[in-house]
Amino acid sequence: MKKLLSNLIVLTALVGLSCTCAMAKEYTDMPKDHWAYKDIQQLTDFGVVVGYPDGSYRPDIKVTRAEFATMAIKALGQQNAKITEIAKFTDFDENHWAWEMVQRGVMFDLLKGYPDGHFDPYGNVSRGHVISTTVNALTTETISNQKAKEILENSYSDYDQIPDWLIIAAGKAEILG
């Protein structure tokens, strides 16, 4: 969770969002001494996160893929972008609260479903998904799978444990430092 929040803050800062809020929302379950309090308040000010309808934030639970898609699109300021392509998923349709945000994420090539056609909106977002989304948002440089492997092989002894779907994004992340 800490790494996710850090990546989102970097993403937010890089796209230059500005806050028009006077004061951050206070969440019922977010003590001021929580390790992520300031970061969550900043993301709230930016409109990237809103918490739950009951006034809570639930800071210590894992973020779902649907929640992360929503945060990423809001961090990039694309929450009102017109959806020009529809991605079909076997487990996810237009009745889901995050459907439009996921569609935008797929349209901007920030997110992908799984090869068998599902999206898994309630599954936990992994560090790999965060890296892939962040790198896709920050760079348009194209590198081959082989080039990414060479870059990673020179930097990490365990590079061969990186899943195939993450190789190019991990290589781009290494290039970006």
Side-chain angles (χ1 to χ4, degrees), residues 152-161:
L152 295 168
E153 183 177 20
N154 291 329
S155 301
Y156 302 98
S157 61
D158 61 349
Y159 82 96
D160 57 342
Q161 295 178 28

Short mmCIF file of all heavy atoms in Angstrom, two decimals, residues 152-161:
data_model
loop_
_atom_site.label_atom_id
_atom_site.label_comp_id
_atom_site.label_asym_id
_atom_site.label_seq_id
_atom_site.Cartn_x
_atom_site.Cartn_y
_atom_site.Cartn_z
N LEU A 152 17.33 -5.51 -17.68
CA LEU A 152 17.05 -6.08 -16.37
C LEU A 152 18.14 -7.07 -15.94
O LEU A 152 18.52 -7.12 -14.77
CB LEU A 152 15.68 -6.75 -16.37
CG LEU A 152 14.51 -5.78 -16.56
CD1 LEU A 152 13.23 -6.54 -16.86
CD2 LEU A 152 14.36 -4.87 -15.35
N GLU A 153 18.66 -7.82 -16.90
CA GLU A 153 19.70 -8.80 -16.60
C GLU A 153 20.96 -8.11 -16.07
O GLU A 153 21.65 -8.63 -15.21
CB GLU A 153 20.04 -9.60 -17.86
CG GLU A 153 21.06 -10.68 -17.65
CD GLU A 153 21.30 -11.50 -18.92
OE1 GLU A 153 20.99 -11.01 -20.02
OE2 GLU A 153 21.81 -12.62 -18.78
N ASN A 154 21.23 -6.91 -16.58
CA ASN A 154 22.40 -6.15 -16.13
C ASN A 154 22.19 -5.49 -14.77
O ASN A 154 23.16 -5.03 -14.16
CB ASN A 154 22.76 -5.08 -17.16
CG ASN A 154 23.30 -5.69 -18.43
OD1 ASN A 154 23.93 -6.75 -18.41
ND2 ASN A 154 23.04 -5.04 -19.55
N SER A 155 20.95 -5.44 -14.31
CA SER A 155 20.66 -4.74 -13.05
C SER A 155 20.23 -5.65 -11.90
O SER A 155 20.41 -5.29 -10.75
CB SER A 155 19.55 -3.71 -13.28
OG SER A 155 19.94 -2.78 -14.27
N TYR A 156 19.64 -6.80 -12.22
CA TYR A 156 19.06 -7.64 -11.18
C TYR A 156 19.41 -9.11 -11.39
O TYR A 156 19.20 -9.64 -12.47
CB TYR A 156 17.53 -7.50 -11.17
CG TYR A 156 17.07 -6.09 -10.97
CD1 TYR A 156 16.70 -5.30 -12.06
CD2 TYR A 156 17.04 -5.53 -9.70
CE1 TYR A 156 16.30 -3.99 -11.88
CE2 TYR A 156 16.64 -4.22 -9.51
CZ TYR A 156 16.27 -3.45 -10.61
OH TYR A 156 15.88 -2.15 -10.43
N SER A 157 19.90 -9.74 -10.35
CA SER A 157 20.26 -11.16 -10.47
C SER A 157 19.02 -12.05 -10.57
O SER A 157 19.09 -13.15 -11.10
CB SER A 157 21.11 -11.59 -9.27
OG SER A 157 20.39 -11.42 -8.07
N ASP A 158 17.89 -11.57 -10.09
CA ASP A 158 16.66 -12.37 -10.13
C ASP A 158 15.68 -11.88 -11.21
O ASP A 158 14.48 -12.11 -11.12
CB ASP A 158 15.98 -12.37 -8.76
CG ASP A 158 15.58 -10.99 -8.29
OD1 ASP A 158 15.99 -9.98 -8.91
OD2 ASP A 158 14.83 -10.91 -7.30
N TYR A 159 16.19 -11.22 -12.25
CA TYR A 159 15.33 -10.67 -13.30
C TYR A 159 14.45 -11.74 -13.94
O TYR A 159 13.35 -11.45 -14.42
CB TYR A 159 16.15 -9.96 -14.38
CG TYR A 159 16.74 -10.91 -15.39
CD1 TYR A 159 16.09 -11.14 -16.60
CD2 TYR A 159 17.92 -11.60 -15.15
CE1 TYR A 159 16.62 -12.03 -17.53
CE2 TYR A 159 18.44 -12.47 -16.05
CZ TYR A 159 17.78 -12.69 -17.25
OH TYR A 159 18.29 -13.57 -18.16
N ASP A 160 14.93 -12.99 -13.95
CA ASP A 160 14.18 -14.07 -14.60
C ASP A 160 12.91 -14.45 -13.83
O ASP A 160 12.10 -15.24 -14.30
CB ASP A 160 15.05 -15.29 -14.81
CG ASP A 160 15.66 -15.83 -13.53
OD1 ASP A 160 15.71 -15.10 -12.52
OD2 ASP A 160 16.09 -17.00 -13.53
N GLN A 161 12.70 -13.87 -12.65
CA GLN A 161 11.49 -14.12 -11.87
C GLN A 161 10.39 -13.11 -12.17
O GLN A 161 9.28 -13.22 -11.66
CB GLN A 161 11.82 -14.12 -10.38
CG GLN A 161 12.74 -15.27 -9.99
CD GLN A 161 13.10 -15.24 -8.52
OE1 GLN A 161 12.35 -14.75 -7.70
NE2 GLN A 161 14.26 -15.78 -8.20
#
